[in-house]
Amino acid sequence: MGILDQFRSATPSPGGDSKPDTSGQSATRLIDEGHALEAQGRLNEAMQRYLEAIRLAPNPARGHLNRGNVLLLQGDLNSALDAFRTALEHQPDYAGAYYNIGNALLGNQQLDEAVASYHSALKINPDYAEVHCSLGIALKELGQFDSAIACFRKALEIDHALVEAHLNLDAAIEDIFNKGNILMGSGQLGEAVAHYRQLLEIKPDYAEAHTTLGVALRELGQIESAVACYRRALLIKPDLAHAHYNLGAALKDLGQLHDAVASYHRALAIKPDFLEAHNNLLFSLNYTASKIPSYYSEQVRQYGRIVSESVAKRFSAWQCAGRPERLRVGLISGDFLNHPVGFFLEGLLAHIDPARIELIAYPTRHNKDELTDRIRPYFSHWKPLAGKSNESAANMIHADGVNILLDLSGHVAHNRLPVFAWKPAPVQVSWLGYFATTGVAEIDYILADEVGVPKDSQAQFTESVWYLPDTRLCFTAPNNDLPVAMLPALNNGHITFGCFQNLTKLGDEVLETWREIFDALPNTRLRLQCDQFCEPAQAEQFLQRVERCGIDKSRVTAYGSTNRAAYLAEYAEVDMILDTFPYTGGTTTCEALWMGVPTLTLAGDTLLARQGASLLTAAGLVHWVATSKQEYIDKAIALASDQAGLVALRADLREQVLASPLFDAPRFARNFEDALWEMWQRYQSGYKSPRRS
């Protein structure tokens, strides 16, 4: 049932809300005529009928409610809400009016207010089944999954016959579907899969259920099965944008980038303002060298235009102090947990001077873990954005008087980039979680270092590039008691290259380059590890691909992911890391260095393609950076052939990198604070950062 359908169903309010028209049938007749005109799209004429009914009726509550419905159809939310509230002034026990208010607020993503209105309706009529359903939808959006499940069950308990009467079989199917969605959102993936499969036994041609089953299976790591679900959904409903989008995400996981990008484009052709598809398209383009930066630039500017046009009126004045004693700095991220963002953030937060910087966290989702618990005390406030519309989130941040607002996500999952388009803070910055321009014109700066973004590469960004000394990233050393193992080649009698990158980074260009290294070093081996190899079939498919690229698959082993401590221990099995390109390593490079294992990287032309070079330069390993494929090949052969050099480097590498800027959190924190203060001083002086279109 759609939101507007819910408004109409509330008009003859259940539970005896409306009172008899004691002036005769005139007001009732006018309202009935208004309904007919409304159904024909003749809204102005319908409005005239409702206004006349209001004039005639001794109790005009029903007329005001219907007037509100028309205003809502005309796009005037505030006036519609006023009409519903006027209905309540005439009839305070009108549960249907509270229901319509809740639905209007829900449609506008004012979730907390919607919940309050639904509760008001249920105080009047506890057996109002439709209200329980809508309350469940709002609670689900707020992440209160257990309460939402209870609401859906209560609705069916009250009036299952009503559901059958109004929605027939689709009502029961939709209930199972919603239960599956909520179970999946609460992390109960196995139970969600069972619900979706039950649903598809009832209605095999339910394309949306096939799509959502695919989402659950992908979360469980069953990517091939997820792809089959998406393809089945698209056979049923070829114009289902979410199925194209999710198919693209799964194909990206499988390393099929060309097909993934095509799927995102199909989703966008159907739904041009599908921001999640835009995000995934932009993220995927970073894996390929051929279409960067020109094609990426075109697509990212299109994204920027869409989010900019979605803003009714951006802020142009702010409440933050002009000359504060300390800056209020907000951080927006969905990854304040055991995640690469958390690993790079934790050490910095621990050393930020609270006398200079006050930190406010704006998490975009409710997930948390032990890292969340460790970093939360570094923030003066923890204010989740989950469940809030972009406008509501921007209003809250603006009211908090934030001086500088940082985006830590870019175009990765759980981002809230559209919030920045409202300009809730006078200075806005992109940093850490992404590695290219966001395309959002209202973001002023991107933090970088000169290795990652040489001066002649600044035109790749819509943001102004702000250079940090030494490095743009500082890694937090793992909290694990793991010693550096001796060089495995000493026992194995051969060099073992390692690569612990996502499968999607292992394109044919990478494998063909590695083939030349393996041809020159016939005794070497390769150890790979990533999430996708948890599926044996996926690992075998990749090994077949390795062989097609000219590397004997017997020289390659592929392992699935494991917990972090076990994963770090796996570095004892490799002598040196071969980085991927153009999407280079970040977290994996830092973890390898901490475990005494150096990485050979190839520096490209973008921030992402130069990330490995930036990290290794900061760690004091400039000679492990190649600037061409041939140099990468030559260095791999030379470094692997110098076993004594690898032994000596491994013995001292952890101590070396811990003393370097890459792991020196106090030093990085001072540089970071200074950068924020300099940005603020520029803003105070009236400096306008140059915009690039």
Side-chain angles (χ1 to χ4, degrees):
M1 182 187 292
I3 292 295
L4 292 179
D5 294 327
Q6 294 179 40
F7 290 127
R8 172 57 52 226
S9 71
T11 300
S13 182
D17 286 333
S18 57
K19 298 179 180 178
D21 182 359
T22 56
S23 66
Q25 301 301 312
S26 297
T28 300
R29 176 179 54 78
L30 286 165
I31 287 175
D32 289 342
E33 290 176 4
H35 288 173
L37 291 164
E38 197 178 319
Q40 297 170 31
R42 297 159 65 182
L43 300 182
N44 290 334
E45 294 172 69
M47 178 65 82
Q48 291 303 315
R49 298 298 193 280
Y50 297 145
L51 291 172
E52 182 65 14
I54 289 168
R55 187 182 69 80
L56 291 175
N59 178 6
R62 189 180 173 206
H64 282 294
L65 186 141
N66 282 278
R67 179 171 68 88
N69 291 341
V70 171
L71 289 166
L72 196 78
L73 289 168
Q74 292 174 330
D76 191 346
L77 173 67
N78 291 330
S79 296
L81 288 170
D82 287 341
F84 297 145
R85 288 165 180 149
T86 301
L88 286 171
E89 291 174 6
H90 289 279
Q91 186 175 331
D93 65 344
Y94 199 167
Y98 281 114
Y99 176 47
N100 273 20
I101 289 171
N103 288 337
L105 293 168
L106 176 62
N108 199 45
Q109 285 293 296
Q110 295 173 248
L111 301 177
D112 292 326
E113 296 92 330
V115 167
S117 191
Y118 293 139
H119 280 305
S120 296
L122 292 172
K123 284 181 182 177
I124 298 166
N125 184 358
D127 293 332
Y128 201 154
E130 292 87 349
V131 176
H132 284 288
C133 286
S134 291
L135 175 58
I137 293 169
L139 291 171
K140 175 177 73 72
E141 290 295 315
L142 285 166
Q144 300 176 29
F145 299 110
D146 290 342
S147 297
I149 290 172
C151 287
F152 290 127
R153 287 176 175 163
K154 182 66 175 176
L156 289 176
E157 175 190 320
I158 292 168
D159 202 343
H160 183 71
L162 180 64
V163 172
E164 286 183 346
H166 285 281
L167 302 174
N168 298 312
L169 183 59
D170 283 347
I173 291 171
E174 193 69 20
D175 179 62
I176 298 171
F177 185 56
N178 284 334
K179 286 181 180 178
N181 291 346
I182 293 170
L183 288 165
M184 184 168 64
S186 62
Q188 301 175 64
L189 297 175
E191 294 89 336
V193 166
H195 270 281
Y196 296 133
R197 286 185 169 146
Q198 176 191 357
L199 172 58
L200 290 168
E201 287 178 5
I202 299 169
K203 189 175 176 63
D205 62 345
Y206 195 167
E208 290 83 356
H210 283 287
T211 300
T212 317
L213 173 58
V215 173
L217 291 169
R218 179 174 172 240
E219 287 290 318
L220 287 167
Q222 300 175 34
I223 302 171
E224 294 280 5
S225 298
V227 167
C229 288
Y230 303 141
R231 294 199 190 282
R232 174 62 180 160
L234 290 169
L235 284 174
I236 298 165
K237 189 180 286 190
D239 62 348
L240 187 56
H242 278 83
H244 286 292
Y245 159 70
N246 283 293
L247 176 59
L251 292 172
K252 177 181 69 67
D253 290 344
L254 295 174
Q256 300 175 32
L257 289 171
H258 177 79
D259 292 338
V261 168
S263 289
Y264 295 138
H265 278 302
R266 291 187 191 105
L268 290 167
I270 297 164
K271 194 173 186 294
D273 61 349
F274 193 168
L275 291 183
E276 291 87 351
H278 274 284
N279 284 319
N280 269 26
L281 172 62
L282 291 167
F283 184 84
S284 296
L285 290 175
N286 287 287
Y287 286 98
T288 60
S290 58
K291 290 186 176 180
I292 294 178
S294 58
Y295 185 69
Y296 180 93
S297 178
E298 171 191 338
Q299 295 298 317
V300 79
R301 282 168 171 78
Q302 181 179 345
Y303 174 91
R305 286 192 295 272
I306 290 172
V307 297
S308 183
E309 290 167 3
S310 71
V311 175
K313 185 178 180 182
R314 60 188 44 79
F315 294 105
S316 57
W318 297 272
Q319 302 175 37
C320 42
R323 298 190 180 278
E325 292 185 4
R326 62 176 184 166
L327 293 177
R328 301 198 89 194
V329 177
L331 279 67
I332 298 182
S333 177
D335 300 312
F336 293 122
L337 33 75
N338 278 313
H339 178 278
V341 166
F343 300 152
F344 281 99
L345 193 60
E346 184 175 6
L348 167 67
L349 296 178
H351 291 91
I352 286 288
D353 182 355
R356 300 186 75 197
I357 304 287
E358 176 190 1
L359 296 170
I360 302 174
Y362 296 105
T364 65
R365 52 179 175 154
H366 294 287
N367 302 49
K368 65 177 185 177
D369 57 25
E370 66 276 8
L371 190 146
T372 314
D373 294 336
R374 290 200 304 270
I375 67 174
R376 188 163 178 167
Y378 298 125
F379 295 95
S380 64
H381 300 283
W382 190 271
K383 309 186 79 169
L385 302 186
K388 293 186 179 295
S389 68
N390 294 322
E391 181 176 6
S392 296
N395 284 332
M396 180 177 72
I397 295 167
H398 181 265
D400 288 340
V402 170
N403 300 90
I404 300 179
L405 185 65
L406 275 74
D407 165 56
L408 307 186
S409 298
H411 291 285
V412 302
H414 315 298
N415 80 72
R416 294 299 295 269
L417 279 176
V419 171
F420 286 80
W422 291 83
K423 197 67 173 177
V427 179
Q428 302 191 143
V429 184
S430 173
W431 175 63
L432 181 55
Y434 198 55
F435 25 71
T437 185
T438 63
V440 178
E442 292 75 21
I443 296 182
D444 303 288
Y445 300 105
I446 183 168
L447 291 177
D449 56 60
E450 291 194 27
V451 175
V453 183
K455 297 286 188 182
D456 59 4
S457 297
Q458 294 184 23
Q460 295 176 11
F461 301 89
T462 59
E463 307 85 356
S464 293
V465 179
W466 189 286
Y467 289 106
L468 290 172
D470 308 319
T471 174
R472 71 182 284 264
L473 299 173
C474 182
F475 195 68
T476 308
N479 186 25
N480 299 88
D481 186 18
L482 288 171
V484 174
M486 70 176 185
L487 194 76
L490 296 175
N491 287 330
N492 295 336
H494 61 259
I495 290 292
T496 301
F497 293 113
C499 183
F500 293 7
Q501 301 290 357
N502 188 301
L503 173 61
T504 314
K505 298 182 183 182
L506 296 167
D508 286 348
E509 187 178 14
V510 172
L511 297 181
E512 288 162 4
T513 302
W514 288 357
R515 182 201 65 219
E516 296 192 42
I517 297 169
F518 277 70
D519 285 348
L521 300 169
N523 293 324
T524 54
R525 300 290 186 270
L526 176 62
R527 189 187 196 283
L528 302 168
Q529 187 162 333
C530 67
D531 288 347
Q532 292 96 327
F533 293 152
C534 288
E535 281 193 83
Q538 190 58 44
E540 181 55 33
Q541 285 180 26
F542 178 77
L543 292 175
Q544 295 291 341
R545 208 177 116 225
V546 165
E547 196 143 70
R548 288 195 299 272
C549 287
I551 301 173
D552 184 347
K553 70 176 185 178
S554 67
R555 299 171 67 182
V556 182
T557 52
Y559 297 90
S561 61
T562 183
N563 64 63
R564 195 181 188 208
Y567 152 78
L568 289 169
E570 301 294 348
Y571 281 103
E573 303 297 323
V574 299
D575 298 284
M576 58 182 281
I577 298 291
L578 292 177
D579 205 355
T580 49
F581 53 87
Y583 197 142
T584 60
T587 302
T588 52
T589 299
C590 295
E591 290 169 332
L593 292 172
W594 187 75
M595 290 303 301
V597 183
T599 295
L600 174 65
T601 193
L602 173 58
D605 299 325
T606 65
L607 173 56
L608 177 60
R610 299 183 64 82
Q611 180 170 257
S614 174
L615 298 174
L616 289 164
T617 300
L621 294 172
V622 179
H623 59 293
W624 284 78
V625 178
T627 57
S628 69
K629 273 190 259 185
Q630 189 58 54
E631 186 182 7
Y632 179 90
I633 293 165
D634 294 341
K635 283 197 170 194
I637 295 167
L639 292 165
S641 301
D642 182 12
Q643 185 168 305
L646 290 174
V647 169
L649 179 59
R650 196 179 189 100
D652 298 328
L653 190 54
R654 179 180 288 183
E655 183 178 350
Q656 173 183 327
V657 299
L658 286 176
S660 74
L662 185 58
F663 283 77
D664 188 345
R667 175 177 177 172
F668 185 79
R670 299 293 81 76
N671 291 338
F672 191 81
E673 292 168 9
D674 289 345
L676 297 180
W677 271 104
E678 288 171 24
M679 289 177 192
W680 183 250
Q681 288 158 4
R682 277 199 183 185
Y683 164 72
Q684 286 182 308
S685 71
Y687 173 84
K688 302 292 185 183
S689 60
R691 309 309 311 150
R692 298 183 179 89
S693 60

